[in-house]
């Protein structure tokens, strides 16, 4: 085999990955608004350079730009309010806390005029500690415990999103026994599944969430599980039926899927109104708005998505002759995802030589792939392992004029699948001790983090106006050991 020298475009790279003209340039859509390279060539957030962050807090570290979080939250609220003003007087935006939640975030969400979507008793506990008013909080989950339902009622939750008929009966009974009515939305599965650029519409649902809208999904011929639940909810003395909910997927770029789901739910809402005289004043269209993880991702601005969704709600309500329900949405990733990057320190480097992929090369030629190990990995970002998610990375502590080398950023776990960034061009002179930043790690990274191999989960710092504060401290070895009960 002949060893081929580094060329800029590696045949080992996936087709979508191009060699950046300048490896030092930050591709804007991937980064928080306050992130730039400073005059020394270091990445800085709201004026604070990464070397200072490393010195103060160590690595790995989640670095969140607070002003950017607030501005993304506000821009969803403003864009949807504007698009729906004439339809239903505005939109209630519930930040999906599962993407990243701590008390500081709850406070920002509240201050920016949003509400909070939770999915467990633990997330409700964070909401309670942050002191947000219960009527601005929603609770989800396909398997809520009685304790979680009771907690929701204790907190006076604005809505419990009920996932099944059995749960509806349980929520109703618990509320009735307290002499109350639970405020309930019913989660329906409209048969629309969206992923990034495409959506598919199917008649039947094969998933754990929600009540099917397809006919014949109950014991009674022709009756859908959704209709059965609406009738049961309206008749239950312990239930105040507010409306309907759907969530069609995550990391979606095109608005078509949202529009199809909205239309389907509106038609169903009108049918329930006509058949049973049941009025449902609210409709939640879920979250799922995509963000950029690599240079080829092209998310739509909130205003564009809002306009597409408003158009279909407006025309469908007009056609059906119904008053438009109050619309709500539940974005998580699109608010927090790009606010944060993970700061790592580079450790071991190695270069392997790999055969060119079949069909791309005639000769017996191998190409280099550089493995760049960092001091975290799948324990602070499980998304590449779980979903084959792609990320980007840049040298953060300095600039470099070295030639690009196809690199794979990997963690320090005892697993060969422990990949942080599968394919990225990094400068050839990246060395141990360098700082590396991986953008777009605000959503479902800290939230999905683990202690695999007894690694301590990193802290999260919020940077604002040149100063940083921990909003979640990193774990210590003591934290790791204190649940071990001993022999
Ligand atoms: N509403 C409901 C009912 C949801 O189930 C979800 C996400 C959201 C809102 C927020 O979706 P977002 O706007 O953040 O896409 N761990 C996966 C994503 C799981 C999403 C679960 N549900 C990932 O890292 O891609």
């Amino acid at each position: 085999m002949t060893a081929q020298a580094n060329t800029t475009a590696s045949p080992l790279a996936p087709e979508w990955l191009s060699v950046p003209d300048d490896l030092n340039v930050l591709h804007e859509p991937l980064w928080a608004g306050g992130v730039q390279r400073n005059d020394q060539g270091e990445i800085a957030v709201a004026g604070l350079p990464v070397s200072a962050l490393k010195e103060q807090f160590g690595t790995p570290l989640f670095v969140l730009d607070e002003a950017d979080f607030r501005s993304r939250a506000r821009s969803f609220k403003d864009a949807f309010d504007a698009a729906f003003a004439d339809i239903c007087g505005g939109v209630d935006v519930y930040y999906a806390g599962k993407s990243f939640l701590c008390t500081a975030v709850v406070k920002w969400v509240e201050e920016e005029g949003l509400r909070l979507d939770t999915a467990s008793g633990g997330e409700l506990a964070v909401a309670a500690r942050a002191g947000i008013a219960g009527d601005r909080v929603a609770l989800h989950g396909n398997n809520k415990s009685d304790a979680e339902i009771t907690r929701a009622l204790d907190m006076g939750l604005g809505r419990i999103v009920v996932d099944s008929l059995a749960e509806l009966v349980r929520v109703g009974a618990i509320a009735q026994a307290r002499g109350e009515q639970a405020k309930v939305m019913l989660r329906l599965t409209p048969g629309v599944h969206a992923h990034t650029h495409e959506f598919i519409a199917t008649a039947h649902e094969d998933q754990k969430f929600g009540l099917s809208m397809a006919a014949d999904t109950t014991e009674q011929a022709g009756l859908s599980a959704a209709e059965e639940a609406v009738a049961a909810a309206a008749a239950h003395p312990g239930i105040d039926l507010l409306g309907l909910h759907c969530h069609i997927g995550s990391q979606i770029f095109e608005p078509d899927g949202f529009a199809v789901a909205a239309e389907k739910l509106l038609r169903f809402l009108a049918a329930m109104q006509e058949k049973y005289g049941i009025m449902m004043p609210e409709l939640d269209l879920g979250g799922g708005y995509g963000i950029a993880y690599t240079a080829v991702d092209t998310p739509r601005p909130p205003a564009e998505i809002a306009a597409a969704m408003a158009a279909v709600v407006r025309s469908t309500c007009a056609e059906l002759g119904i008053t438009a329900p109050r619309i709500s949405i539940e974005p998580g990733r699109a608010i927090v995802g790009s606010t944060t990057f993970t700061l790592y320190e580079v450790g071991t480097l190695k270069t392997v030589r790999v055969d060119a992929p079949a069909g791309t090369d005639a000769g017996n030629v191998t190409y280099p792939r550089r493995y760049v190990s960092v001091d975290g990995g799948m324990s602070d970002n499980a998304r590449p392992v779980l979903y084959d998610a792609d990320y980007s990375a840049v040298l953060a502590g300095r600039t470099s004029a070295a030639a690009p080398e196809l690199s794979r950023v990997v963690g320090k776990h005892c697993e060969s699948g422990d990949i942080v960034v599968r394919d990225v061009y990094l400068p050839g002179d990246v060395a141990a001790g360098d700082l590396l930043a991986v953008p777009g790690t605000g959503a479902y990274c800290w939230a999905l983090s683990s202690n695999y191999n007894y690694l301590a989960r990193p802290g999260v710092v919020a940077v604002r106006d040149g100063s940083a504060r921990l909003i979640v401290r990193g774990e210590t070895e003591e934290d790791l050991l204190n649940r071990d009960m001993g022999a």
Side-chain angles (χ1 to χ4, degrees):
M1 294 233 169
T2 328
Q4 178 131 327
N6 271 353
T7 54
T8 44
S10 168
L12 303 180
E15 233 167 74
W16 59 264
L17 184 69
S18 51
V19 187
D21 293 334
D22 182 347
L23 291 174
N24 301 310
V25 169
L26 303 181
H27 179 66
E28 209 179 297
L30 305 178
W31 297 90
V35 175
Q36 285 173 331
R37 279 200 195 270
N38 63 16
D39 295 344
Q40 286 71 49
E42 258 194 78
I43 288 183
V45 195
L48 202 63
V50 287
S51 56
L53 288 165
K54 182 198 156 49
E55 199 176 305
Q56 198 178 346
F57 304 104
T59 55
L61 183 68
F62 289 103
V63 183
L64 184 154
D65 178 346
E66 179 179 340
D68 190 66
F69 183 102
R70 289 175 178 274
S71 121
R72 288 176 200 270
R74 174 63 67 183
S75 71
F76 260 95
K77 176 75 177 134
D78 288 349
F80 275 79
D81 269 350
F84 282 86
D86 66 311
I87 301 174
C88 53
V91 168
D92 297 320
V93 180
Y94 288 77
Y95 168 71
K98 70 198 77 182
S99 57
F100 173 61
L101 190 64
C102 63
T103 52
V105 160
V106 178
K107 287 182 180 147
W108 303 339
V109 160
E110 246 194 320
E111 284 164 16
E112 299 305 325
L114 279 70
R115 301 174 180 222
L116 181 68
D117 171 24
T118 64
S120 71
E123 290 184 8
L124 280 180
V126 179
R129 178 177 281 191
I132 185 172
D135 63 0
R136 298 182 71 82
V137 179
L139 175 66
H140 274 281
N142 66 303
N143 188 22
K144 300 175 191 73
S145 66
D146 287 359
E148 286 171 322
I149 293 165
T150 301
R151 184 174 215 159
L153 294 171
D154 286 346
M155 287 173 67
L157 242 58
R159 49 173 68 168
I160 299 176
V161 185
V162 165
D163 210 82
S164 65
L165 185 61
E167 185 183 279
L168 180 77
V169 172
R170 247 170 355 105
V171 170
I174 294 171
Q176 201 179 353
R178 297 161 57 108
E180 294 172 24
Q181 279 199 320
K183 295 193 176 82
V184 160
M185 304 279 283
L186 293 175
R187 177 166 178 173
L188 310 190
T189 46
V192 178
H193 307 273
H195 179 68
T196 306
H197 290 290
E198 295 162 50
F199 76 88
I200 51 164
T202 55
H204 286 271
E205 293 295 336
D206 189 6
Q207 61 153 304
K208 71 171 182 171
F209 291 113
L211 293 147
S212 175
M213 296 174 76
D216 296 321
T217 44
T218 60
E219 305 270 297
Q220 194 185 318
L223 187 70
S224 71
E227 180 171 341
E228 181 181 45
V230 167
H236 200 298
I239 300 287
D240 175 9
L241 179 60
L242 297 180
L244 305 174
H245 172 282
C246 69
H247 171 75
I248 62 168
S250 211
Q251 183 61 0
I252 300 165
F253 291 158
E254 305 297 331
D256 333 15
F258 299 117
V260 171
E263 185 184 335
K264 225 170 154 181
L265 262 71
L266 284 167
R267 290 191 186 282
F268 177 79
L269 185 137
M272 295 301 98
Q273 201 167 307
E274 201 178 308
K275 187 164 175 185
Y276 302 102
I278 297 170
M279 308 295 282
M280 289 179 276
E282 306 215 20
L283 179 63
D284 191 307
L285 297 171
Y289 315 103
I291 65 163
Y293 287 107
T294 70
V296 292
D297 291 335
T298 51
R300 304 295 165 88
E304 204 178 304
I305 303 164
M309 289 167 71
V312 80
V313 171
R314 189 183 292 110
S315 63
T316 308
C317 290
E319 183 205 320
L320 296 168
I322 56 167
T323 306
R326 174 83 179 176
I327 301 292
S328 49
I329 56 166
E330 301 171 332
R333 184 195 320 262
I335 291 176
V336 71
S338 306
T339 65
T340 301
F341 64 83
T342 310
L343 188 65
Y344 296 106
E345 186 179 293
V346 173
T348 308
L349 293 129
K350 90 171 198 182
T351 300
V352 297
R353 300 207 67 96
V354 181
D355 291 342
T360 58
D361 192 70
N364 279 340
V365 179
T366 62
Y367 294 90
R369 188 198 308 287
R370 194 157 204 231
Y371 278 83
V372 178
S373 296
V374 294
D375 49 355
M378 63 191 285
S379 53
D380 58 70
N381 189 355
R383 297 193 69 259
V385 181
L386 280 177
Y387 318 113
D388 271 334
D390 287 309
Y391 280 86
S392 312
V394 296
L395 192 54
R398 62 182 175 93
T399 53
S400 166
E405 268 190 29
L406 184 68
S407 305
R408 179 162 288 173
V409 181
V410 295
K412 59 180 286 161
H413 292 277
C414 299
E415 257 196 67
S416 47
D418 173 27
I419 291 167
V420 179
V421 186
R422 187 175 305 276
D423 296 292
V424 63
Y425 288 102
L426 289 173
D429 65 349
V430 169
D434 269 329
L435 292 174
L436 214 63
V438 174
T441 57
Y444 306 109
C445 290
W446 184 89
L448 286 170
S449 61
S450 75
N451 289 127
Y452 185 35
N453 295 137
Y454 271 74
L455 260 67
R457 275 176 286 215
V460 184
V461 291
V463 185
R464 187 180 181 176
D465 299 332
S467 69
R469 69 179 201 283
L470 277 172
I471 54 172
V472 185
R473 75 159 168 81
E475 283 170 330
T476 60
E477 241 168 50
E478 194 56 32
D479 291 325
L480 296 181
L481 290 171
N482 70 13
R483 283 181 304 144
D484 184 324
M485 303 307 287

